[in-house]
Structures are given as structure tokens and as C-alpha cells.
Amino acid sequence: MYTERPSRLPGAALWTGDGSGRVLPDGCMDLLWHEERLLVAGPDTRAHVPASTPGTWTGLRFAPGSAPAFLGVPAHELRDRRVQLADLWPLPEVRRLRGRIARAADPATALEDLALERAAPTDPVLRALVAALDAGRPVAVTADEIGLGARQLHRRSLVAFGYGPKTLARILRLRRALALAGAGVPFAATAARCGFADQAHLARDVRELAGVPLGRLLAVG
């Protein structure tokens, strides 16, 4: 079981689930609450299949590029990792926050309140980058439009997203494709509309990023 709702934090979402299922790359990072532990899910470059763990998981999924300012840690240091928040912040502070969330009537709202207290505004350049890539704009064209050289764009992307802009664009393209295919658009038409060379190209990207064929992924979803 998995439920999600928008957060008061711009671009973020709150979710609750049982910790099962395949977690696909999405350009985001999450603050997690499970069994009175605070954890951080770093940016994924491939599907993450959680180990079977009992109990309810609660999470705040930050908007792409916004979590590093909250955490004080560059995203690339957490790429494809799940870590304890106490590995990033002072232990006394984390203990205090754990107690606060444990006492809360709704852990999701408590996570949201914490993020609202500490979050910094998202860099408008990063917002523009995500919007352009999510719309299918080429990386080179986007870099010119936002006034960044290729090396500077790559460095800033590593800090904000955990990987370079080409990987981010590929992940966002996959998300668009899954939304279309999941809505019943034929795979060939999905590939064409999302900028893949052909249906075979779409199939390769799905296998590499999601770890399973597109048909199986949609059937599970």
C-alpha cells in the first residue's frame, strides 16, 4: 500500500508505504521515517529494490535539486545510497528530532514541518534547468539558455542532483515515458513523443534504469 499527497513545501510530496516495491530514479531525494529512525534516500541512478522491512515508512520527497540545501551535503555524496540522518547531522540534534516526530500525531506532517523550518529557496537556475529538461529540451541548448557553460552546469548538477545534466534528462524522459505508456499510449508512440530514437531505444533505457522490461514494469504498477 502506498499513498501520496502534495506538501506545503514547494514541489515536494509526502508519502506513506510499506517499504515494498521498486523505487525508480526520479531526480529527487527523500527524508524518511521508519521505526523511529530518520534516514535519507540519496538520488538514484537506477532502480532501488528495498530489502523486506516490517512496519510503515513515511517520507518527504523533495523537489529535484532542493534537498542538498536542507541537508548541507552535496547530492553526489549520497548517490545510490540510503544513510542515517545521524551520519550527516550532529547526533544530539537528530535525537531531538526523532523524539519530536515520534510524539507527533502524523509523522508525515512532522517531517514536513521540519523541512519547512530548515529548507532554503530553490535556486531559480536549478528550477529552470529541471523545467527545461523535463520538457525535453536538449542539455546543450538548455545550458545556453540559462547562461551556464558545460563544465559549470555539470558541477552544479552534481551538487544539486547527484549526477550530470545528461543523466537527469534521461531520468526525467523515462518518467514522461512511463506516464504516457501507463495511460495507454502505444510504446512506439510513447518513444516518439518522448524523444527516443525508436521503441527499441525506449526499451533499453527502461531496462537500464528500471531493471525490468517496460511491459512488466507497467503490469506491476
Side-chain angles (χ1 to χ4, degrees), residues 12-184:
L14 297 167
W15 58 267
T16 301
D18 61 7
S20 64
R22 185 175 298 269
V23 181
L24 302 183
D26 58 7
C28 302
M29 298 170 61
D30 294 58
L31 181 63
L32 308 173
W33 174 253
H34 177 253
E35 299 293 316
E36 300 197 2
R37 295 184 301 153
L38 281 166
L39 306 98
V40 175
D44 293 322
T45 59
R46 57 188 181 275
H48 173 76
V49 182
S52 178
T53 51
T56 299
W57 287 80
T58 303
L60 170 77
R61 186 173 65 247
F62 288 88
S66 62
F70 168 80
L71 295 170
V73 178
H76 63 82
E77 293 188 7
L78 301 175
R79 184 171 51 231
D80 294 320
R81 298 176 60 199
R82 270 65 179 160
V83 302
Q84 301 278 347
L85 184 61
D87 293 337
L88 309 177
W89 289 4
L91 182 57
E93 174 68 1
V94 174
R95 284 174 175 163
R96 184 184 69 80
L97 294 173
R98 284 203 307 254
R100 168 180 164 180
I101 296 171
R103 293 189 298 271
D106 177 21
T109 300
L111 289 177
E112 180 182 47
D113 290 341
L114 170 61
L116 287 167
E117 291 168 8
R118 295 171 176 253
T122 303
D123 186 336
V125 172
L126 296 178
R127 288 202 305 269
L129 172 62
V130 172
L133 297 182
D134 198 28
R137 300 284 286 169
V139 172
V141 172
T142 299
D144 289 340
E145 289 175 346
I146 62 179
L148 292 178
R151 290 184 179 179
Q152 187 180 11
L153 178 62
H154 189 78
R155 286 195 300 268
R156 292 185 67 168
S157 294
L158 286 178
V159 171
F161 310 111
Y163 30 66
K166 291 183 178 180
T167 298
L168 176 62
R170 191 179 178 213
I171 287 170
L172 294 175
R173 181 176 62 181
L174 173 70
R175 306 297 297 197
R176 296 196 304 276
L178 292 178
L180 285 176

